[in-house]
Amino acid sequence: MIVADFIADYLLNKGIRNIFMLSGTGSIYLDDAFSSLASMEYICARHEAAAVLMAEAGAKLTGTIGVAVITTGPGGANAIAGVVEAWVDSVPLLILSGQVARNQILNGTRSFGVQGLNIIDNVKNITKYAVRIDDPNSIRYHLEQAIHLAMSGRQGPVWLDIPMDVQATGIKIDDLQSFTTPVAEVSDDSLESVASVINMLREANRPMIVLGQGIRTAGLIPEFKKLANTINAPIIASRMALDILPYNQMNYFG
């Protein structure tokens, strides 16, 4: 299959069912791949920033990674505003941008091809991972690594820029290199930190609990609610955690 179809199938097998997009020449093979999948719903926005914000909202509501497909040049530039919000709010987001063909790309110039822009250098500071896919056979490795980084640790957006000719290149799936997910280890330092927090909590005269987005992304809302019911302390929330506790929860001040 071609690279674009591999990406669409891979994300479908990962449980992604909604793609937010604004079609364009630079992303035409990606657009076609996602629109051809009967089990995948594509939602067309009127502006790339809106498509990214829609994908971000979906990620916040479902706890899965949001995906947006945009075109090259102005499409990528317009998407930056939405990526900034995902970066600030620590939302897992995958941006797939189209790009002009590789033989039109000239590094070091302000623009190239038809509306081509070196978008990767412009988004590296607001993403956890940002690469241009120049080798079609590396697509699985970069896709797996990008999703892993978006969903692990402090979550956030990632960006894959895919030239048109790469999107349309045929690949053999069995020959593709995989990304090896590193094994997370619990160190003695981590255990000591937990013990230190527990001791400080026991010794505190006037403790206060501040809850945030990390509780949700870690999937620990039930455990936190047990803690909130156990400790007689005032509780306040950050903007992204306002709905974790009901407002009639004892000691919760919103």
Side-chain angles (χ1 to χ4, degrees):
M1 60 171 60
I2 64 173
V3 168
D5 289 333
F6 171 79
I7 294 172
D9 281 0
Y10 181 88
L11 293 177
L12 181 67
N13 291 331
K14 281 288 184 180
I16 304 299
R17 294 295 179 267
N18 296 299
I19 300 292
F20 302 89
M21 62 192 296
L22 199 159
S23 59
T25 302
S27 61
I28 195 67
Y29 295 102
L30 290 168
D31 300 336
D32 181 66
F34 285 111
S35 65
S36 298
L37 286 177
S39 301
M40 183 82 76
E41 182 176 2
Y42 64 96
I43 297 93
C44 296
R46 300 291 184 89
H47 192 278
E48 288 83 2
V52 175
L53 290 170
M54 292 160 75
E56 182 193 7
K60 289 178 178 178
L61 289 169
T62 63
T64 59
I65 190 168
V67 181
V69 180
I70 57 175
T71 190
T72 185
N78 287 342
I80 288 177
V83 175
V84 168
E85 177 159 316
W87 176 252
V88 172
D89 285 352
S90 303
V91 179
L93 200 63
L94 172 62
I95 306 297
L96 299 170
S97 64
Q99 183 57 273
V100 301
R102 286 172 292 179
N103 63 3
Q104 299 176 26
I105 296 173
L106 185 60
N107 292 326
T109 60
R110 290 195 177 187
S111 64
F112 38 74
V114 179
Q115 294 186 324
L117 173 70
N118 185 1
I119 192 66
I120 292 302
D121 283 347
N122 287 279
V123 299
K124 281 184 176 180
N125 289 331
I126 53 170
T127 56
K128 295 187 68 178
Y129 189 70
V131 296
R132 188 177 70 220
I133 309 298
D134 290 325
D135 178 4
N137 289 312
S138 69
I139 183 59
R140 179 175 179 177
Y141 177 87
H142 289 296
L143 190 58
E144 290 177 345
Q145 184 173 17
I147 293 175
H148 166 73
L149 291 173
M151 297 295 294
S152 62
R154 182 172 181 178
Q155 298 178 346
V158 294
W159 192 305
L160 297 182
D161 192 42
I162 310 173
M164 284 181 63
D165 59 319
V166 173
Q167 297 173 37
T169 298
I171 53 175
K172 294 181 179 179
I173 299 176
D174 293 339
D175 294 340
L176 300 182
Q177 179 187 358
S178 298
F179 170 73
T180 302
T181 304
V183 178
E185 296 182 358
V186 179
S187 66
D188 291 339
D189 290 341
S190 298
L191 296 176
E192 290 176 4
S193 296
V194 172
S196 176
V197 170
I198 293 173
N199 288 333
M200 286 190 290
L201 189 57
R202 285 172 173 165
E203 296 173 1
N205 293 320
R206 300 173 63 188
M208 182 176 72
I209 299 173
V210 183
L211 65 145
Q213 171 79 338
I215 296 172
R216 190 195 317 277
T217 57
L220 294 175
I221 292 179
E223 287 80 0
F224 174 76
K225 287 183 176 179
K226 291 179 182 177
L227 178 69
N229 290 327
T230 301
I231 301 173
N232 184 25
I235 305 170
I236 60 174
S238 68
R239 177 175 60 90
M240 294 296 295
L242 287 173
D243 62 335
I244 288 180
L245 291 176
Y247 274 88
N248 62 358
Q249 172 86 20
M250 183 177 293
N251 297 337
Y252 181 43
F253 290 86

